Amino acid sequence: MQARRSDFDVTNSVNTTDPAAVSAAVRRIYLDLYRKAGADDLEQPFADFAELYRGEHPDYHACDTGFHDIQHVLDVTLAMARLLDGYQRAGREPLGERLFRMGIVLALYHDGGYIRHRKDTRHRNGAEYTLTHVSRSARYLQEYLPQIGMEDLATIASRVVHFTGFEVPIDQIRLPQPIFRVVGNLLGSADILGQMADRCYLEKCYDRLYPEFVLGGIARRVNKQGKEEVIFGSAADLISKTPNFYINAVHRLDEILDRAYLYADQHFGGPNHYVEATEKNIGYARLIGTKSDISRLRRRAPSPVAVGDHPEQHHLI
């Protein structure tokens, strides 16, 4: 089997730094499910997403968060399409093609809140929005969905996107029908597995996520007594705590998101590649912790500066 490339998905078949490649993969899944016209309606959200993240939108700066970059979003979007497909094939309450499209749009813009508006003069990096980025994503979706003919779903989408974050407890999200909670469970699961199954997940945590945590007020926080608490003292400390984060993530996946990640089994028709890749990453994080040797992080992630471009090399190291 060919070694997995750092700019490709868990199946090593889709370039997740390229919106066109992921759009084509999602389109194939859609047409295989519904076998009718309508896939064209997915093209505009992908084109608009690429424009937004590359800084080509007249109102927004380019994405400047190294971890929550275009590859992260495309990994999540592809995972979401596969979970939607698995759910449909499992014979549950049908989603319908329109809710499939809504799920894809949600995945594409679930982190839009990290993108800085050009009028923003107070923030120098999108990571400064870490604690409020999901609410900002919700507002963006509220404005964006009417532009693509989904105005009736805009308010619902602005609530469902909170399944990816912690600003609103999931059990407090009010939705008009249970089927929208299904979409939320799939979205939240795709967000967790899409990032943790990334071949360079640990390297990205070390090089990119820790700096975002510092800028976003996550690495250190002031407690109720007014004293500063150190949550992550360094990038190496973040890596050492990643296995514990995974334990919490598993609880969220199983107990809060209703084990929706298991629908990937149905899609793949066998092993869940997302779970396998994630557990491999976590096992390696444990090894690094045991050996106290951060130099074991040797893989090279695709440059976040070149997001959306066609990489000239596929990193295998």
Side-chain angles (χ1 to χ4, degrees):
M1 179 180 292
Q2 182 184 25
R4 182 179 168 192
R5 293 162 285 188
S6 297
D7 47 358
F8 274 60
D9 75 307
V10 292
T11 69
N12 205 29
S13 64
V14 181
N15 185 333
T16 54
T17 68
D18 181 6
V22 176
S23 176
V26 171
R27 180 186 177 90
R28 287 193 294 271
I29 291 171
Y30 176 94
L31 289 173
D32 197 36
L33 274 177
Y34 301 109
R35 303 184 184 280
K36 62 174 70 174
D40 290 348
D41 292 334
L42 288 168
E43 293 181 3
Q44 190 63 48
F46 274 95
D48 293 341
F49 159 77
E51 178 184 75
L52 176 66
Y53 270 67
R54 290 170 176 164
E56 298 165 1
H57 191 293
D59 297 329
Y60 292 91
H61 291 289
C63 172
D64 55 14
T65 46
F67 184 89
H68 293 94
D69 64 352
I70 202 169
Q71 185 178 20
H72 163 71
V73 175
L74 292 176
D75 267 323
V76 171
T77 301
L78 182 57
M80 181 62 170
R82 288 167 170 165
L83 290 176
L84 286 162
D85 177 69
Y87 173 85
Q88 288 286 84
R89 296 183 184 284
R92 306 293 185 182
E93 178 186 353
L95 283 168
E97 56 184 308
R98 203 154 184 270
L99 287 189
F100 181 99
R101 293 200 302 271
M102 185 186 83
I104 298 304
V105 173
L106 278 164
L108 282 170
Y109 295 94
H110 79 280
D111 276 344
Y114 282 111
I115 308 298
R116 291 182 298 126
H117 199 282
R118 294 190 186 277
K119 293 181 179 179
D120 182 356
T121 58
R122 293 195 307 114
H123 302 89
R124 300 182 63 182
N125 187 280
E128 295 174 54
Y129 283 117
T130 297
L131 293 173
T132 59
H133 80 277
V134 182
S135 291
R136 295 185 79 243
S137 299
R139 290 193 292 273
Y140 189 91
L141 284 161
Q142 186 93 47
E143 296 177 2
Y144 178 68
L145 263 69
Q147 300 174 29
I148 56 172
M150 304 183 83
E151 183 174 5
D152 58 314
L153 294 173
T155 297
I156 293 170
S158 72
R159 295 176 184 174
V160 173
V161 74
H162 280 283
F163 278 74
T164 66
F166 298 89
E167 294 171 45
V168 180
I170 286 178
D171 62 0
Q172 294 181 21
I173 299 174
R174 300 291 174 252
L175 297 168
Q177 298 174 31
I179 194 65
F180 294 115
R181 189 162 297 276
V182 170
V183 176
N185 288 335
L186 296 171
L187 179 66
S189 301
D191 187 29
I192 293 172
L193 293 181
Q195 64 180 289
M196 297 191 77
D198 187 319
R199 183 175 184 272
C200 297
Y201 173 65
L202 296 178
E203 285 81 2
K204 287 182 177 181
C205 284
Y206 187 86
D207 293 327
R208 305 178 187 182
L209 187 58
Y210 177 71
E212 285 189 24
F213 279 177
V214 171
L215 289 172
I218 300 295
R220 297 171 181 265
R221 68 184 178 192
V222 177
N223 62 26
K224 294 180 180 179
Q225 289 71 43
K227 296 183 178 180
E228 185 180 65
E229 289 183 290
V230 177
I231 309 303
F232 302 109
S234 65
D237 187 33
L238 173 60
I239 297 300
S240 72
K241 293 174 178 175
T242 295
N244 284 335
F245 170 78
Y246 180 59
I247 292 172
N248 293 328
V250 169
H251 171 76
R252 186 173 177 86
L253 287 165
D254 284 341
E255 305 300 328
I256 299 176
L257 299 173
D258 200 26
R259 299 171 67 84
Y261 68 94
L262 293 177
Y263 289 115
D265 299 20
Q266 196 79 22
H267 169 79
F268 291 122
N272 189 320
H273 297 305
Y274 288 103
V275 172
E276 289 184 342
T278 297
E279 291 184 343
K280 185 176 181 179
N281 282 335
I282 298 306
Y284 200 69
R286 292 193 182 101
L287 175 64
I288 290 172
T290 300
K291 301 292 185 180
S292 298
D293 184 6
I294 207 69
S295 69
R296 289 174 177 267
L297 293 179
R298 303 188 184 99
R299 291 173 174 173
R300 290 181 294 157
S303 171
V305 176
V307 292
D309 293 339
H310 296 274
E312 295 180 359
Q313 57 182 332
H314 298 146
H315 302 307
L316 297 175
I317 294 176

